[in-house]
Amino acid sequence: MAETPKYDVVIIGSGPGGYVAAIRAAQLGLKTAVIEKDDKLGGTCLHVGCIPTKDLLLSAEVYDYFKNAKEYGIVSKEFSIDWAAVQARKTKVVTKLAKGVEFLFKKNKVETIQGYGRLAGPGRISITDPKGQVREIQASKIVLATGSEAKTFPGFEPDGKTILTNKEVLALKALPSSMVIMGAGAVGVEFASIFHRFGSKVTILEMLPRAVPLEDEEISAELEKSFHRQGIAIQTQAKVESAAKSAPGVTVSYSSADGKRQAIEAETLLVAVGRSPNTRDVGLEKTRVQLERGFVKVDATMQTGEPGVYAIGDIVAGSPQLAHVASREGIVAVTHAAGKPVEPINYHQIPNCTYCEPEISSVGLTERGAREAGHTVRVGKFPFAGNSKAAILGAREGFVKIVSDEKYGEILGVHMIGPRVTEMIAEAVVAMRLEGTVEDLAATIHPHPTLTEAVMEAAHAAHDWPIHI
Ligand SMILES: Cc1cc2nc3c(=O)[nH]c(=O)nc-3n(C[C@H](O)[C@H](O)[C@H](O)COP(=O)(O)OP(=O)(O)OC[C@H]3O[C@@H](n4cnc5c(N)ncnc54)[C@H](O)[C@@H]3O)c2cc1C
């Protein structure tokens, strides 16, 4: 009988958590394998999340530029959307990046095993291959990186045509004339920006009192104002109750903020109300892995309660469901598995980016959060209306807001909404990591003309001395 293959580390799942963990494990000299149930590497982020959405957002932006070309002195009489070509470009980008992961696995000698993985006992993993054949492998350390799926509810099951999650909406064969989006979190508002810009009539229904509810309140207000100006309808405190097939596609019933029952018809309904962790049916039952509402509890080194088993990414309790967080957690887990010292993740210094139009980015405490934490808060705010690069880009909306502690000028949080702010937040993260102050940001010479000058100006504004406003 053939011997059961044995690895130093086996990772279940090849999303941005799993594949980054695998590469780092191999770099650390560990014999590494990744088990992936799908026929492609890269997980949610690469195939139905971060990458395809950002590609569609770019195509939508290009289309917008064409619509407004006159403003830039360009006369373009004929242009239209070739949806099939838009989708083809998205697929090309995704495929190229998936091949990139395959290449990196080969380069680093990470073995890929296609199949469904489950814990099968201490140091053992069972794999069910696509033909249903089951076999076992052994590993000194196991990393669970099984990610998440879109939450759905009875009566809102995706059918691929009218009721959609992030998966089906990315595979639409034609642009819908109208779309209701349930949920104004990052996923909801990004799809709103995509389809609105491509010409669909978009209505967002959000149960909570504001859009992007995890962001600073002023950011939510600015986004809602902008969406209103653009013509994206958004109703907050709107509780969706049911969805029924109807002539245009779907009728969505909900109760509005004033408690009245309302109904809205659209060709499609996108359900974007959060993500459930993939922790069922992965063999956790007979282990000491502890769950909290389905999410895996871990310590600062990403170890679960089961010796030798780590968890990373979207399945981790209390960790934001973001690709870059999954990747960092993967590095922490395998570094610890290799017996090397690790620096625990500071979850207060994680950048959040939402790529809607206008873009949003943030790190650290909101103004309200800082006050509730007992800080004496000093806020510095600078609008993009006073920034020269924003004027060149024709972007008039948004601002940079720095929340600092009055005593020493410690930066507690930075919040931005406006042009390309997702490219600007890393500066704030570095400043916070290095325990920088608003004075440090204000004294740092920023290149001109760039959008980043708005960060410097917001730091000046913390002391009431912004230059360009
Ligand atoms: C529409 C959308 C847009 C997003 N945009 C962004 C963004 O712009 N930036 C950002 O940071 N985050 C974004 N996210 C979130 C991001 O995609 C996730 O946080 C990230 O993918 C989590 O990585 P992960 O490795 O934990 O899991 P996943 O990426 O979900 O990967 C898990 C992998 O495990 C595999 N798997 C599951 N169970 C098993 C099993 N038992 N055996 C074998 N394989 C298994 C799955 O097939 C999958 O490949 C977005 C999400 C969505 C839905």
Side-chain angles (χ1 to χ4, degrees), residues 33-49:
V34 171
I35 304 169
E36 171 55 58
K37 67 177 172 55
D38 291 347
D39 57 0
K40 322 168 256 222
L41 302 174
T44 304
C45 174
L46 181 45
H47 297 284
V48 287

Side-chain angles (χ1 to χ4, degrees), residues 11-20 34-54 57 113-119 125-128 144-150 165-167 169-170 186-188 190-191 270 272 274-276 278-283 312-316 320-327 329 351-355 422:
I11 296 158
I12 308 181
S14 74
Y19 89 74
V20 169
V34 171
I35 304 169
E36 171 55 58
K37 67 177 172 55
D38 291 347
D39 57 0
K40 322 168 256 222
L41 302 174
T44 304
C45 174
L46 181 45
H47 297 284
V48 287
C50 327
I51 303 300
T53 48
K54 268 85 254 180
L57 277 157
I113 304 171
Q114 199 193 339
Y116 189 96
R118 287 179 186 87
L119 300 184
I125 308 110
S126 81
I127 304 164
T128 308
L144 300 169
T146 49
S148 62
E149 297 288 334
T165 68
N166 63 297
K167 268 190 192 166
V169 74
L170 286 165
V187 172
E190 285 185 8
F191 278 114
L270 172 66
R275 317 252 325 148
S276 306
N278 291 327
T279 50
R280 278 196 213 134
D281 194 23
V282 283
I312 60 170
D314 278 11
I315 59 171
V316 172
Q321 291 181 308
L322 293 168
H324 42 286
V325 177
S327 299
E329 289 174 344
N352 299 290
C353 291
T354 304
Y355 303 75
T422 57

Side-chain angles (χ1 to χ4, degrees), residues 158-415:
D159 60 9
K161 271 177 140 182
T162 49
I163 301 182
L164 316 163
T165 68
N166 63 297
K167 268 190 192 166
E168 300 80 25
V169 74
L170 286 165
L172 282 175
K173 293 272 180 286
L175 272 169
S177 59
S178 54
M179 178 178 283
V180 170
I181 300 178
M182 197 174 152
V187 172
V189 298
E190 285 185 8
F191 278 114
S193 289
I194 292 171
F195 287 99
H196 167 74
R197 285 180 132 184
F198 279 132
S200 307
K201 183 172 182 287
V202 174
T203 306
I204 307 177
L205 300 176
E206 166 59 54
M207 197 169 76
L208 294 174
R210 57 193 179 96
V212 286
L214 300 179
E215 298 292 344
D216 188 276
E217 285 164 40
E218 284 194 85
I219 298 282
S220 299
E222 183 78 0
L223 181 69
E224 286 174 27
K225 196 173 83 186
S226 173
F227 271 13
H228 183 71
R229 183 192 56 72
Q230 294 177 51
I232 299 174
I234 175 157
Q235 291 198 41
T236 51
Q237 291 179 288
K239 193 164 182 292
V240 175
E241 281 154 4
S242 64
K245 296 267 159 68
S246 62
V250 60
T251 301
V252 182
S253 301
Y254 65 100
S255 60
S256 52
D258 54 11
K260 287 202 182 118
R261 286 210 73 190
Q262 314 269 4
I264 182 167
E265 290 192 324
E267 200 178 316
T268 50
L269 167 67
L270 172 66
V271 182
V273 291
R275 317 252 325 148
S276 306
N278 291 327
T279 50
R280 278 196 213 134
D281 194 23
V282 283
L284 302 186
E285 304 75 25
K286 289 182 195 146
T287 67
R288 280 184 269 170
V289 172
Q290 285 185 356
L291 295 179
E292 188 179 282
R293 288 179 299 112
F295 291 89
V296 180
K297 282 172 131 180
V298 294
D299 66 12
T301 61
M302 310 314 296
Q303 279 188 103
T304 68
E306 177 73 15
V309 177
Y310 297 77
I312 60 170
D314 278 11
I315 59 171
V316 172
S319 169
Q321 291 181 308
L322 293 168
H324 42 286
V325 177
S327 299
R328 185 69 210 164
E329 289 174 344
I331 289 176
V332 168
V334 296
T335 305
H336 186 266
K340 305 263 189 262
V342 286
E343 180 191 325
I345 293 172
N346 181 346
Y347 285 93
H348 297 296
Q349 293 178 356
I350 288 174
N352 299 290
C353 291
T354 304
Y355 303 75
C356 50
E357 168 54 34
E359 289 187 350
I360 295 170
S361 62
S362 64
V363 57
L365 293 175
T366 61
E367 184 177 347
R368 179 189 284 273
R371 291 191 198 285
E372 283 173 359
H375 291 280
T376 305
V377 170
R378 186 181 272 273
V379 170
K381 203 171 149 191
F382 187 80
F384 281 106
N387 176 275
S388 52
K389 185 64 184 282
I392 294 166
L393 291 170
R396 297 162 193 94
E397 291 176 323
F399 54 82
V400 174
K401 172 175 175 176
I402 302 178
V403 178
S404 63
D405 187 285
E406 196 167 59
K407 199 167 179 194
Y408 301 115
E410 180 191 356
I411 302 163
L412 303 171
V414 178
H415 308 273

